[in-house]
mmCIF file with all atom_site columns, all heavy atoms in Angstrom:
data_model
loop_
_atom_site.group_PDB
_atom_site.id
_atom_site.type_symbol
_atom_site.label_atom_id
_atom_site.label_alt_id
_atom_site.label_comp_id
_atom_site.label_asym_id
_atom_site.label_entity_id
_atom_site.label_seq_id
_atom_site.pdbx_PDB_ins_code
_atom_site.Cartn_x
_atom_site.Cartn_y
_atom_site.Cartn_z
_atom_site.occupancy
_atom_site.B_iso_or_equiv
_atom_site.pdbx_formal_charge
_atom_site.auth_seq_id
_atom_site.auth_comp_id
_atom_site.auth_asym_id
_atom_site.auth_atom_id
_atom_site.pdbx_PDB_model_num
ATOM 1   N N   . LYS A 1 5   ? 12.538  9.993   -4.431  1.00 96.00 ? 208 LYS A N   1
ATOM 2   C CA  . LYS A 1 5   ? 11.192  10.356  -4.888  1.00 96.00 ? 208 LYS A CA  1
ATOM 3   C C   . LYS A 1 5   ? 10.360  10.765  -3.728  1.00 96.00 ? 208 LYS A C   1
ATOM 4   O O   . LYS A 1 5   ? 10.540  10.349  -2.569  1.00 96.00 ? 208 LYS A O   1
ATOM 5   C CB  . LYS A 1 5   ? 10.542  9.213   -5.632  1.00 96.00 ? 208 LYS A CB  1
ATOM 6   C CG  . LYS A 1 5   ? 11.103  9.011   -7.070  1.00 96.00 ? 208 LYS A CG  1
ATOM 7   C CD  . LYS A 1 5   ? 10.252  8.013   -7.829  1.00 96.00 ? 208 LYS A CD  1
ATOM 8   C CE  . LYS A 1 5   ? 10.652  7.975   -9.284  1.00 96.00 ? 208 LYS A CE  1
ATOM 9   N NZ  . LYS A 1 5   ? 9.824   6.994   -10.039 1.00 96.00 ? 208 LYS A NZ  1
ATOM 10  N N   . TYR A 1 9   ? 1.613   8.777   1.129   1.00 97.00 ? 212 TYR A N   1
ATOM 11  C CA  . TYR A 1 9   ? 0.667   7.777   1.518   1.00 97.00 ? 212 TYR A CA  1
ATOM 12  C C   . TYR A 1 9   ? -0.639  8.426   1.921   1.00 97.00 ? 212 TYR A C   1
ATOM 13  O O   . TYR A 1 9   ? -0.663  9.228   2.881   1.00 97.00 ? 212 TYR A O   1
ATOM 14  C CB  . TYR A 1 9   ? 1.208   6.959   2.700   1.00 97.00 ? 212 TYR A CB  1
ATOM 15  C CG  . TYR A 1 9   ? 2.472   6.165   2.416   1.00 97.00 ? 212 TYR A CG  1
ATOM 16  C CD1 . TYR A 1 9   ? 3.720   6.748   2.517   1.00 97.00 ? 212 TYR A CD1 1
ATOM 17  C CD2 . TYR A 1 9   ? 2.363   4.804   2.026   1.00 97.00 ? 212 TYR A CD2 1
ATOM 18  C CE1 . TYR A 1 9   ? 4.888   5.963   2.246   1.00 97.00 ? 212 TYR A CE1 1
ATOM 19  C CE2 . TYR A 1 9   ? 3.498   4.074   1.731   1.00 97.00 ? 212 TYR A CE2 1
ATOM 20  C CZ  . TYR A 1 9   ? 4.742   4.648   1.854   1.00 97.00 ? 212 TYR A CZ  1
ATOM 21  O OH  . TYR A 1 9   ? 5.888   3.931   1.591   1.00 97.00 ? 212 TYR A OH  1
ATOM 22  N N   . ARG A 1 12  ? -7.164  6.944   3.968   1.00 97.00 ? 215 ARG A N   1
ATOM 23  C CA  . ARG A 1 12  ? -8.548  7.466   3.841   1.00 97.00 ? 215 ARG A CA  1
ATOM 24  C C   . ARG A 1 12  ? -9.591  6.715   4.703   1.00 97.00 ? 215 ARG A C   1
ATOM 25  O O   . ARG A 1 12  ? -10.717 7.070   4.795   1.00 97.00 ? 215 ARG A O   1
ATOM 26  C CB  . ARG A 1 12  ? -9.015  7.382   2.396   1.00 97.00 ? 215 ARG A CB  1
ATOM 27  C CG  . ARG A 1 12  ? -8.113  8.085   1.397   1.00 97.00 ? 215 ARG A CG  1
ATOM 28  C CD  . ARG A 1 12  ? -8.497  7.739   -0.038  1.00 97.00 ? 215 ARG A CD  1
ATOM 29  N NE  . ARG A 1 12  ? -8.266  6.305   -0.275  1.00 97.00 ? 215 ARG A NE  1
ATOM 30  C CZ  . ARG A 1 12  ? -8.954  5.579   -1.107  1.00 97.00 ? 215 ARG A CZ  1
ATOM 31  N NH1 . ARG A 1 12  ? -9.951  6.081   -1.786  1.00 97.00 ? 215 ARG A NH1 1
ATOM 32  N NH2 . ARG A 1 12  ? -8.670  4.287   -1.316  1.00 97.00 ? 215 ARG A NH2 1
ATOM 33  N N   . VAL A 1 19  ? -8.882  -3.674  6.498   1.00 94.00 ? 222 VAL A N   1
ATOM 34  C CA  . VAL A 1 19  ? -7.466  -3.916  6.799   1.00 94.00 ? 222 VAL A CA  1
ATOM 35  C C   . VAL A 1 19  ? -6.550  -2.797  6.249   1.00 94.00 ? 222 VAL A C   1
ATOM 36  O O   . VAL A 1 19  ? -5.372  -2.796  6.508   1.00 94.00 ? 222 VAL A O   1
ATOM 37  C CB  . VAL A 1 19  ? -7.035  -5.310  6.255   1.00 94.00 ? 222 VAL A CB  1
ATOM 38  C CG1 . VAL A 1 19  ? -6.745  -5.225  4.770   1.00 94.00 ? 222 VAL A CG1 1
ATOM 39  C CG2 . VAL A 1 19  ? -5.824  -5.837  7.024   1.00 94.00 ? 222 VAL A CG2 1
ATOM 40  N N   . TYR A 1 20  ? -7.150  -1.850  5.480   1.00 95.00 ? 223 TYR A N   1
ATOM 41  C CA  . TYR A 1 20  ? -6.307  -0.934  4.740   1.00 95.00 ? 223 TYR A CA  1
ATOM 42  C C   . TYR A 1 20  ? -5.357  -0.109  5.636   1.00 95.00 ? 223 TYR A C   1
ATOM 43  O O   . TYR A 1 20  ? -4.208  0.086   5.294   1.00 95.00 ? 223 TYR A O   1
ATOM 44  C CB  . TYR A 1 20  ? -7.144  -0.024  3.874   1.00 95.00 ? 223 TYR A CB  1
ATOM 45  C CG  . TYR A 1 20  ? -7.966  -0.770  2.847   1.00 95.00 ? 223 TYR A CG  1
ATOM 46  C CD1 . TYR A 1 20  ? -9.344  -1.060  3.067   1.00 95.00 ? 223 TYR A CD1 1
ATOM 47  C CD2 . TYR A 1 20  ? -7.394  -1.280  1.687   1.00 95.00 ? 223 TYR A CD2 1
ATOM 48  C CE1 . TYR A 1 20  ? -10.061 -1.773  2.142   1.00 95.00 ? 223 TYR A CE1 1
ATOM 49  C CE2 . TYR A 1 20  ? -8.116  -1.997  0.751   1.00 95.00 ? 223 TYR A CE2 1
ATOM 50  C CZ  . TYR A 1 20  ? -9.418  -2.254  0.980   1.00 95.00 ? 223 TYR A CZ  1
ATOM 51  O OH  . TYR A 1 20  ? -10.183 -2.975  0.090   1.00 95.00 ? 223 TYR A OH  1
ATOM 52  N N   . GLU A 1 23  ? -2.475  -2.349  6.934   1.00 95.00 ? 226 GLU A N   1
ATOM 53  C CA  . GLU A 1 23  ? -1.517  -2.741  5.871   1.00 95.00 ? 226 GLU A CA  1
ATOM 54  C C   . GLU A 1 23  ? -0.844  -1.532  5.221   1.00 95.00 ? 226 GLU A C   1
ATOM 55  O O   . GLU A 1 23  ? 0.228   -1.713  4.613   1.00 95.00 ? 226 GLU A O   1
ATOM 56  C CB  . GLU A 1 23  ? -2.192  -3.711  4.881   1.00 95.00 ? 226 GLU A CB  1
ATOM 57  C CG  . GLU A 1 23  ? -2.439  -5.064  5.533   1.00 95.00 ? 226 GLU A CG  1
ATOM 58  C CD  . GLU A 1 23  ? -2.848  -6.185  4.571   1.00 95.00 ? 226 GLU A CD  1
ATOM 59  O OE1 . GLU A 1 23  ? -3.375  -5.925  3.497   1.00 95.00 ? 226 GLU A OE1 1
ATOM 60  O OE2 . GLU A 1 23  ? -2.635  -7.372  4.941   1.00 95.00 ? 226 GLU A OE2 1
ATOM 61  N N   . GLU A 1 26  ? 2.095   -0.949  7.476   1.00 96.00 ? 229 GLU A N   1
ATOM 62  C CA  . GLU A 1 26  ? 3.166   -1.927  7.189   1.00 96.00 ? 229 GLU A CA  1
ATOM 63  C C   . GLU A 1 26  ? 4.020   -1.494  6.004   1.00 96.00 ? 229 GLU A C   1
ATOM 64  O O   . GLU A 1 26  ? 5.239   -1.683  6.037   1.00 96.00 ? 229 GLU A O   1
ATOM 65  C CB  . GLU A 1 26  ? 2.565   -3.302  6.984   1.00 96.00 ? 229 GLU A CB  1
ATOM 66  C CG  . GLU A 1 26  ? 2.026   -3.890  8.313   1.00 96.00 ? 229 GLU A CG  1
ATOM 67  C CD  . GLU A 1 26  ? 1.479   -5.332  8.218   1.00 96.00 ? 229 GLU A CD  1
ATOM 68  O OE1 . GLU A 1 26  ? 1.309   -5.819  7.087   1.00 96.00 ? 229 GLU A OE1 1
ATOM 69  O OE2 . GLU A 1 26  ? 1.164   -5.881  9.278   1.00 96.00 ? 229 GLU A OE2 1
ATOM 70  N N   . VAL A 1 27  ? 3.363   -0.926  4.989   1.00 96.00 ? 230 VAL A N   1
ATOM 71  C CA  . VAL A 1 27  ? 4.150   -0.468  3.828   1.00 96.00 ? 230 VAL A CA  1
ATOM 72  C C   . VAL A 1 27  ? 5.076   0.715   4.245   1.00 96.00 ? 230 VAL A C   1
ATOM 73  O O   . VAL A 1 27  ? 6.204   0.802   3.875   1.00 96.00 ? 230 VAL A O   1
ATOM 74  C CB  . VAL A 1 27  ? 3.233   0.001   2.682   1.00 96.00 ? 230 VAL A CB  1
ATOM 75  C CG1 . VAL A 1 27  ? 4.062   0.470   1.512   1.00 96.00 ? 230 VAL A CG1 1
ATOM 76  C CG2 . VAL A 1 27  ? 2.316   -1.138  2.271   1.00 96.00 ? 230 VAL A CG2 1
ATOM 77  N N   . PHE A 1 34  ? 14.079  2.644   2.669   1.00 94.00 ? 237 PHE A N   1
ATOM 78  C CA  . PHE A 1 34  ? 14.508  3.030   1.331   1.00 94.00 ? 237 PHE A CA  1
ATOM 79  C C   . PHE A 1 34  ? 14.954  4.495   1.223   1.00 94.00 ? 237 PHE A C   1
ATOM 80  O O   . PHE A 1 34  ? 15.348  4.989   0.168   1.00 94.00 ? 237 PHE A O   1
ATOM 81  C CB  . PHE A 1 34  ? 13.411  2.761   0.265   1.00 94.00 ? 237 PHE A CB  1
ATOM 82  C CG  . PHE A 1 34  ? 13.269  1.322   -0.030  1.00 94.00 ? 237 PHE A CG  1
ATOM 83  C CD1 . PHE A 1 34  ? 12.629  0.425   0.890   1.00 94.00 ? 237 PHE A CD1 1
ATOM 84  C CD2 . PHE A 1 34  ? 13.764  0.760   -1.196  1.00 94.00 ? 237 PHE A CD2 1
ATOM 85  C CE1 . PHE A 1 34  ? 12.495  -0.898  0.586   1.00 94.00 ? 237 PHE A CE1 1
ATOM 86  C CE2 . PHE A 1 34  ? 13.649  -0.620  -1.448  1.00 94.00 ? 237 PHE A CE2 1
ATOM 87  C CZ  . PHE A 1 34  ? 12.987  -1.440  -0.560  1.00 94.00 ? 237 PHE A CZ  1
ATOM 88  N N   . GLN A 1 36  ? 13.483  7.403   1.162   1.00 94.00 ? 239 GLN A N   1
ATOM 89  C CA  . GLN A 1 36  ? 12.791  8.331   0.207   1.00 94.00 ? 239 GLN A CA  1
ATOM 90  C C   . GLN A 1 36  ? 12.203  9.482   0.996   1.00 94.00 ? 239 GLN A C   1
ATOM 91  O O   . GLN A 1 36  ? 12.200  9.517   2.188   1.00 94.00 ? 239 GLN A O   1
ATOM 92  C CB  . GLN A 1 36  ? 11.728  7.529   -0.537  1.00 94.00 ? 239 GLN A CB  1
ATOM 93  C CG  . GLN A 1 36  ? 12.213  6.352   -1.312  1.00 94.00 ? 239 GLN A CG  1
ATOM 94  C CD  . GLN A 1 36  ? 13.092  6.770   -2.490  1.00 94.00 ? 239 GLN A CD  1
ATOM 95  O OE1 . GLN A 1 36  ? 12.677  7.484   -3.382  1.00 94.00 ? 239 GLN A OE1 1
ATOM 96  N NE2 . GLN A 1 36  ? 14.342  6.303   -2.518  1.00 94.00 ? 239 GLN A NE2 1
ATOM 97  N N   . VAL A 1 131 ? 5.107   9.354   -6.225  1.00 97.00 ? 334 VAL A N   1
ATOM 98  C CA  . VAL A 1 131 ? 4.413   8.082   -6.027  1.00 97.00 ? 334 VAL A CA  1
ATOM 99  C C   . VAL A 1 131 ? 3.339   8.333   -5.022  1.00 97.00 ? 334 VAL A C   1
ATOM 100 O O   . VAL A 1 131 ? 3.605   8.703   -3.888  1.00 97.00 ? 334 VAL A O   1
ATOM 101 C CB  . VAL A 1 131 ? 5.402   6.993   -5.559  1.00 97.00 ? 334 VAL A CB  1
ATOM 102 C CG1 . VAL A 1 131 ? 4.668   5.684   -5.382  1.00 97.00 ? 334 VAL A CG1 1
ATOM 103 C CG2 . VAL A 1 131 ? 6.565   6.850   -6.510  1.00 97.00 ? 334 VAL A CG2 1
ATOM 104 N N   . LEU A 1 133 ? 0.446   6.492   -2.962  1.00 96.00 ? 336 LEU A N   1
ATOM 105 C CA  . LEU A 1 133 ? -0.133  5.230   -2.563  1.00 96.00 ? 336 LEU A CA  1
ATOM 106 C C   . LEU A 1 133 ? -1.372  5.493   -1.707  1.00 96.00 ? 336 LEU A C   1
ATOM 107 O O   . LEU A 1 133 ? -1.245  6.088   -0.625  1.00 96.00 ? 336 LEU A O   1
ATOM 108 C CB  . LEU A 1 133 ? 0.902   4.420   -1.744  1.00 96.00 ? 336 LEU A CB  1
ATOM 109 C CG  . LEU A 1 133 ? 2.138   4.012   -2.559  1.00 96.00 ? 336 LEU A CG  1
ATOM 110 C CD1 . LEU A 1 133 ? 3.256   3.567   -1.624  1.00 96.00 ? 336 LEU A CD1 1
ATOM 111 C CD2 . LEU A 1 133 ? 1.794   2.864   -3.480  1.00 96.00 ? 336 LEU A CD2 1
ATOM 112 N N   . PHE A 1 135 ? -4.639  4.321   0.454   1.00 95.00 ? 338 PHE A N   1
ATOM 113 C CA  . PHE A 1 135 ? -5.190  3.203   1.175   1.00 95.00 ? 338 PHE A CA  1
ATOM 114 C C   . PHE A 1 135 ? -6.478  3.583   1.854   1.00 95.00 ? 338 PHE A C   1
ATOM 115 O O   . PHE A 1 135 ? -6.616  4.722   2.255   1.00 95.00 ? 338 PHE A O   1
ATOM 116 C CB  . PHE A 1 135 ? -4.195  2.751   2.256   1.00 95.00 ? 338 PHE A CB  1
ATOM 117 C CG  . PHE A 1 135 ? -2.901  2.174   1.695   1.00 95.00 ? 338 PHE A CG  1
ATOM 118 C CD1 . PHE A 1 135 ? -1.764  2.938   1.555   1.00 95.00 ? 338 PHE A CD1 1
ATOM 119 C CD2 . PHE A 1 135 ? -2.889  0.874   1.207   1.00 95.00 ? 338 PHE A CD2 1
ATOM 120 C CE1 . PHE A 1 135 ? -0.630  2.383   1.037   1.00 95.00 ? 338 PHE A CE1 1
ATOM 121 C CE2 . PHE A 1 135 ? -1.686  0.325   0.676   1.00 95.00 ? 338 PHE A CE2 1
ATOM 122 C CZ  . PHE A 1 135 ? -0.563  1.107   0.590   1.00 95.00 ? 338 PHE A CZ  1
ATOM 123 N N   . GLN B 2 6   ? -0.100  -1.804  -8.882  1.00 98.00 ? 247 GLN B N   1
ATOM 124 C CA  . GLN B 2 6   ? -0.385  -2.344  -7.592  1.00 98.00 ? 247 GLN B CA  1
ATOM 125 C C   . GLN B 2 6   ? -1.879  -2.767  -7.587  1.00 98.00 ? 247 GLN B C   1
ATOM 126 O O   . GLN B 2 6   ? -2.721  -1.961  -8.004  1.00 98.00 ? 247 GLN B O   1
ATOM 127 C CB  . GLN B 2 6   ? -0.152  -1.316  -6.446  1.00 98.00 ? 247 GLN B CB  1
ATOM 128 C CG  . GLN B 2 6   ? -0.511  -1.842  -5.091  1.00 98.00 ? 247 GLN B CG  1
ATOM 129 C CD  . GLN B 2 6   ? -0.335  -0.729  -4.033  1.00 98.00 ? 247 GLN B CD  1
ATOM 130 O OE1 . GLN B 2 6   ? 0.319   0.284   -4.257  1.00 98.00 ? 247 GLN B OE1 1
ATOM 131 N NE2 . GLN B 2 6   ? -0.912  -0.955  -2.851  1.00 98.00 ? 247 GLN B NE2 1
ATOM 132 N N   . GLU B 2 9   ? -7.249  -5.543  -4.658  1.00 97.00 ? 250 GLU B N   1
ATOM 133 C CA  . GLU B 2 9   ? -8.465  -6.306  -4.416  1.00 97.00 ? 250 GLU B CA  1
ATOM 134 C C   . GLU B 2 9   ? -8.372  -7.699  -5.094  1.00 97.00 ? 250 GLU B C   1
ATOM 135 O O   . GLU B 2 9   ? -7.720  -7.881  -6.064  1.00 97.00 ? 250 GLU B O   1
ATOM 136 C CB  . GLU B 2 9   ? -9.710  -5.594  -4.995  1.00 97.00 ? 250 GLU B CB  1
ATOM 137 C CG  . GLU B 2 9   ? -9.933  -4.187  -4.409  1.00 97.00 ? 250 GLU B CG  1
ATOM 138 C CD  . GLU B 2 9   ? -10.235 -4.188  -2.893  1.00 97.00 ? 250 GLU B CD  1
ATOM 139 O OE1 . GLU B 2 9   ? -10.603 -5.234  -2.366  1.00 97.00 ? 250 GLU B OE1 1
ATOM 140 O OE2 . GLU B 2 9   ? -10.092 -3.120  -2.289  1.00 97.00 ? 250 GLU B OE2 1
ATOM 141 N N   . TYR B 2 40  ? -1.409  -6.765  -3.359  1.00 97.00 ? 281 TYR B N   1
ATOM 142 C CA  . TYR B 2 40  ? -1.437  -6.425  -1.918  1.00 97.00 ? 281 TYR B CA  1
ATOM 143 C C   . TYR B 2 40  ? -2.849  -6.540  -1.384  1.00 97.00 ? 281 TYR B C   1
ATOM 144 O O   . TYR B 2 40  ? -3.799  -6.689  -2.141  1.00 97.00 ? 281 TYR B O   1
ATOM 145 C CB  . TYR B 2 40  ? -0.889  -5.007  -1.733  1.00 97.00 ? 281 TYR B CB  1
ATOM 146 C CG  . TYR B 2 40  ? -0.455  -4.702  -0.288  1.00 97.00 ? 281 TYR B CG  1
ATOM 147 C CD1 . TYR B 2 40  ? 0.238   -5.607  0.452   1.00 97.00 ? 281 TYR B CD1 1
ATOM 148 C CD2 . TYR B 2 40  ? -0.790  -3.507  0.313   1.00 97.00 ? 281 TYR B CD2 1
ATOM 149 C CE1 . TYR B 2 40  ? 0.611   -5.364  1.780   1.00 97.00 ? 281 TYR B CE1 1
ATOM 150 C CE2 . TYR B 2 40  ? -0.420  -3.214  1.618   1.00 97.00 ? 281 TYR B CE2 1
ATOM 151 C CZ  . TYR B 2 40  ? 0.278   -4.145  2.329   1.00 97.00 ? 281 TYR B CZ  1
ATOM 152 O OH  . TYR B 2 40  ? 0.629   -3.881  3.633   1.00 97.00 ? 281 TYR B OH  1
ATOM 153 N N   . HIS B 2 41  ? -3.006  -6.429  -0.062  1.00 97.00 ? 282 HIS B N   1
ATOM 154 C CA  . HIS B 2 41  ? -4.334  -6.618  0.591   1.00 97.00 ? 282 HIS B CA  1
ATOM 155 C C   . HIS B 2 41  ? -4.945  -7.939  0.039   1.00 97.00 ? 282 HIS B C   1
ATOM 156 O O   . HIS B 2 41  ? -4.224  -8.924  -0.168  1.00 97.00 ? 282 HIS B O   1
ATOM 157 C CB  . HIS B 2 41  ? -5.247  -5.443  0.315   1.00 97.00 ? 282 HIS B CB  1
ATOM 158 C CG  . HIS B 2 41  ? -4.721  -4.078  0.756   1.00 97.00 ? 282 HIS B CG  1
ATOM 159 N ND1 . HIS B 2 41  ? -4.220  -3.885  2.021   1.00 97.00 ? 282 HIS B ND1 1
ATOM 160 C CD2 . HIS B 2 41  ? -4.630  -2.923  0.104   1.00 97.00 ? 282 HIS B CD2 1
ATOM 161 C CE1 . HIS B 2 41  ? -3.877  -2.633  2.158   1.00 97.00 ? 282 HIS B CE1 1
ATOM 162 N NE2 . HIS B 2 41  ? -4.113  -1.997  0.976   1.00 97.00 ? 282 HIS B NE2 1
ATOM 163 N N   . ARG B 2 84  ? -1.372  -13.912 5.906   1.00 95.00 ? 325 ARG B N   1
ATOM 164 C CA  . ARG B 2 84  ? -2.645  -13.766 6.556   1.00 95.00 ? 325 ARG B CA  1
ATOM 165 C C   . ARG B 2 84  ? -3.787  -14.474 5.832   1.00 95.00 ? 325 ARG B C   1
ATOM 166 O O   . ARG B 2 84  ? -4.722  -14.956 6.452   1.00 95.00 ? 325 ARG B O   1
ATOM 167 C CB  . ARG B 2 84  ? -3.010  -12.240 6.602   1.00 95.00 ? 325 ARG B CB  1
ATOM 168 C CG  . ARG B 2 84  ? -2.216  -11.415 7.509   1.00 95.00 ? 325 ARG B CG  1
ATOM 169 C CD  . ARG B 2 84  ? -2.858  -10.022 7.702   1.00 95.00 ? 325 ARG B CD  1
ATOM 170 N NE  . ARG B 2 84  ? -2.101  -9.304  8.720   1.00 95.00 ? 325 ARG B NE  1
ATOM 171 C CZ  . ARG B 2 84  ? -1.304  -8.297  8.437   1.00 95.00 ? 325 ARG B CZ  1
ATOM 172 N NH1 . ARG B 2 84  ? -1.149  -7.864  7.199   1.00 95.00 ? 325 ARG B NH1 1
ATOM 173 N NH2 . ARG B 2 84  ? -0.614  -7.684  9.409   1.00 95.00 ? 325 ARG B NH2 1
ATOM 174 N N   . ARG B 2 85  ? -3.651  -14.523 4.521   1.00 96.00 ? 326 ARG B N   1
ATOM 175 C CA  . ARG B 2 85  ? -4.753  -15.019 3.700   1.00 96.00 ? 326 ARG B CA  1
ATOM 176 C C   . ARG B 2 85  ? -4.569  -16.361 3.104   1.00 96.00 ? 326 ARG B C   1
ATOM 177 O O   . ARG B 2 85  ? -5.404  -16.856 2.336   1.00 96.00 ? 326 ARG B O   1
ATOM 178 C CB  . ARG B 2 85  ? -5.026  -13.928 2.594   1.00 96.00 ? 326 ARG B CB  1
ATOM 179 C CG  . ARG B 2 85  ? -5.471  -12.578 3.132   1.00 96.00 ? 326 ARG B CG  1
ATOM 180 C CD  . ARG B 2 85  ? -5.427  -11.514 2.085   1.00 96.00 ? 326 ARG B CD  1
ATOM 181 N NE  . ARG B 2 85  ? -5.881  -10.225 2.525   1.00 96.00 ? 326 ARG B NE  1
ATOM 182 C CZ  . ARG B 2 85  ? -5.138  -9.359  3.159   1.00 96.00 ? 326 ARG B CZ  1
ATOM 183 N NH1 . ARG B 2 85  ? -3.898  -9.618  3.478   1.00 96.00 ? 326 ARG B NH1 1
ATOM 184 N NH2 . ARG B 2 85  ? -5.644  -8.165  3.533   1.00 96.00 ? 326 ARG B NH2 1
ATOM 185 N N   . LEU B 2 112 ? 7.373   -6.347  0.916   1.00 96.00 ? 353 LEU B N   1
ATOM 186 C CA  . LEU B 2 112 ? 6.835   -5.008  0.560   1.00 96.00 ? 353 LEU B CA  1
ATOM 187 C C   . LEU B 2 112 ? 7.896   -4.114  -0.023  1.00 96.00 ? 353 LEU B C   1
ATOM 188 O O   . LEU B 2 112 ? 7.556   -3.134  -0.716  1.00 96.00 ? 353 LEU B O   1
ATOM 189 C CB  . LEU B 2 112 ? 6.281   -4.342  1.828   1.00 96.00 ? 353 LEU B CB  1
ATOM 190 C CG  . LEU B 2 112 ? 4.864   -4.793  2.222   1.00 96.00 ? 353 LEU B CG  1
ATOM 191 C CD1 . LEU B 2 112 ? 4.595   -4.332  3.676   1.00 96.00 ? 353 LEU B CD1 1
ATOM 192 C CD2 . LEU B 2 112 ? 3.868   -4.220  1.260   1.00 96.00 ? 353 LEU B CD2 1
ATOM 193 N N   . GLY B 2 113 ? 9.147   -4.404  0.209   1.00 96.00 ? 354 GLY B N   1
ATOM 194 C CA  . GLY B 2 113 ? 10.218  -3.632  -0.408  1.00 96.00 ? 354 GLY B CA  1
ATOM 195 C C   . GLY B 2 113 ? 10.134  -3.650  -1.944  1.00 96.00 ? 354 GLY B C   1
ATOM 196 O O   . GLY B 2 113 ? 10.540  -2.682  -2.581  1.00 96.00 ? 354 GLY B O   1
ATOM 197 N N   . ILE B 2 116 ? 7.930   -0.733  -2.933  1.00 97.00 ? 357 ILE B N   1
ATOM 198 C CA  . ILE B 2 116 ? 8.626   0.518   -2.825  1.00 97.00 ? 357 ILE B CA  1
ATOM 199 C C   . ILE B 2 116 ? 9.635   0.682   -3.994  1.00 97.00 ? 357 ILE B C   1
ATOM 200 O O   . ILE B 2 116 ? 9.725   1.740   -4.653  1.00 97.00 ? 357 ILE B O   1
ATOM 201 C CB  . ILE B 2 116 ? 9.393   0.680   -1.496  1.00 97.00 ? 357 ILE B CB  1
ATOM 202 C CG1 . ILE B 2 116 ? 8.452   0.463   -0.330  1.00 97.00 ? 357 ILE B CG1 1
ATOM 203 C CG2 . ILE B 2 116 ? 10.080  2.037   -1.430  1.00 97.00 ? 357 ILE B CG2 1
ATOM 204 C CD1 . ILE B 2 116 ? 7.324   1.501   -0.187  1.00 97.00 ? 357 ILE B CD1 1
ATOM 205 N N   . GLY B 2 119 ? 7.921   1.591   -7.097  1.00 97.00 ? 360 GLY B N   1
ATOM 206 C CA  . GLY B 2 119 ? 7.596   3.019   -7.111  1.00 97.00 ? 360 GLY B CA  1
ATOM 207 C C   . GLY B 2 119 ? 8.788   3.841   -7.465  1.00 97.00 ? 360 GLY B C   1
ATOM 208 O O   . GLY B 2 119 ? 8.644   4.898   -8.155  1.00 97.00 ? 360 GLY B O   1
ATOM 209 N N   . ILE B 2 120 ? 9.952   3.429   -7.047  1.00 96.00 ? 361 ILE B N   1
ATOM 210 C CA  . ILE B 2 120 ? 11.186  4.212   -7.357  1.00 96.00 ? 361 ILE B CA  1
ATOM 211 C C   . ILE B 2 120 ? 11.557  3.988   -8.829  1.00 96.00 ? 361 ILE B C   1
ATOM 212 O O   . ILE B 2 120 ? 11.926  4.934   -9.539  1.00 96.00 ? 361 ILE B O   1
ATOM 213 C CB  . ILE B 2 120 ? 12.331  3.783   -6.436  1.00 96.00 ? 361 ILE B CB  1
ATOM 214 C CG1 . ILE B 2 120 ? 11.973  4.154   -4.965  1.00 96.00 ? 361 ILE B CG1 1
ATOM 215 C CG2 . ILE B 2 120 ? 13.643  4.404   -6.860  1.00 96.00 ? 361 ILE B CG2 1
ATOM 216 C CD1 . ILE B 2 120 ? 12.895  3.570   -3.945  1.00 96.00 ? 361 ILE B CD1 1
ATOM 217 N N   . ALA B 2 122 ? 9.804   2.752   -11.529 1.00 97.00 ? 363 ALA B N   1
ATOM 218 C CA  . ALA B 2 122 ? 8.861   2.972   -12.625 1.00 97.00 ? 363 ALA B CA  1
ATOM 219 C C   . ALA B 2 122 ? 8.630   4.474   -12.857 1.00 97.00 ? 363 ALA B C   1
ATOM 220 O O   . ALA B 2 122 ? 8.773   5.251   -11.937 1.00 97.00 ? 363 ALA B O   1
ATOM 221 C CB  . ALA B 2 122 ? 7.542   2.285   -12.342 1.00 97.00 ? 363 ALA B CB  1
ATOM 222 N N   . LEU B 2 125 ? 3.481   4.587   -11.034 1.00 97.00 ? 366 LEU B N   1
ATOM 223 C CA  . LEU B 2 125 ? 2.917   3.463   -10.295 1.00 97.00 ? 366 LEU B CA  1
ATOM 224 C C   . LEU B 2 125 ? 1.418   3.637   -10.263 1.00 97.00 ? 366 LEU B C   1
ATOM 225 O O   . LEU B 2 125 ? 0.912   4.664   -9.801  1.00 97.00 ? 366 LEU B O   1
ATOM 226 C CB  . LEU B 2 125 ? 3.480   3.418   -8.874  1.00 97.00 ? 366 LEU B CB  1
ATOM 227 C CG  . LEU B 2 125 ? 2.780   2.420   -7.924  1.00 97.00 ? 366 LEU B CG  1
ATOM 228 C CD1 . LEU B 2 125 ? 3.103   0.981   -8.335  1.00 97.00 ? 366 LEU B CD1 1
ATOM 229 C CD2 . LEU B 2 125 ? 3.273   2.647   -6.472  1.00 97.00 ? 366 LEU B CD2 1
ATOM 230 N N   . ASP B 2 130 ? -10.034 -0.280  -4.290  1.00 76.00 ? 371 ASP B N   1
ATOM 231 C CA  . ASP B 2 130 ? -10.916 0.711   -3.666  1.00 76.00 ? 371 ASP B CA  1
ATOM 232 C C   . ASP B 2 130 ? -10.158 1.843   -3.033  1.00 76.00 ? 371 ASP B C   1
ATOM 233 O O   . ASP B 2 130 ? -9.129  1.633   -2.441  1.00 76.00 ? 371 ASP B O   1
ATOM 234 C CB  . ASP B 2 130 ? -11.811 0.035   -2.624  1.00 76.00 ? 371 ASP B CB  1
ATOM 235 C CG  . ASP B 2 130 ? -13.060 -0.547  -3.263  1.00 76.00 ? 371 ASP B CG  1
ATOM 236 O OD1 . ASP B 2 130 ? -13.087 -0.556  -4.483  1.00 76.00 ? 371 ASP B OD1 1
ATOM 237 O OD2 . ASP B 2 130 ? -13.929 -1.018  -2.502  1.00 76.00 ? 371 ASP B OD2 1
#
Side-chain angles (χ1 to χ4, degrees):
Chain A
K208 284 190 172 180
Y212 295 87
R215 303 170 295 149
V222 79
Y223 299 101
E226 288 192 336
E229 289 184 351
V230 180
F237 286 76
Q239 300 293 301
V334 181
L336 295 163
F338 293 99
Chain B
Q247 178 185 344
E250 302 296 343
Y281 197 43
H282 302 310
R325 289 193 175 105
R326 295 166 178 84
L353 279 165
I357 305 297
I361 295 169
L366 171 68
D371 274 10

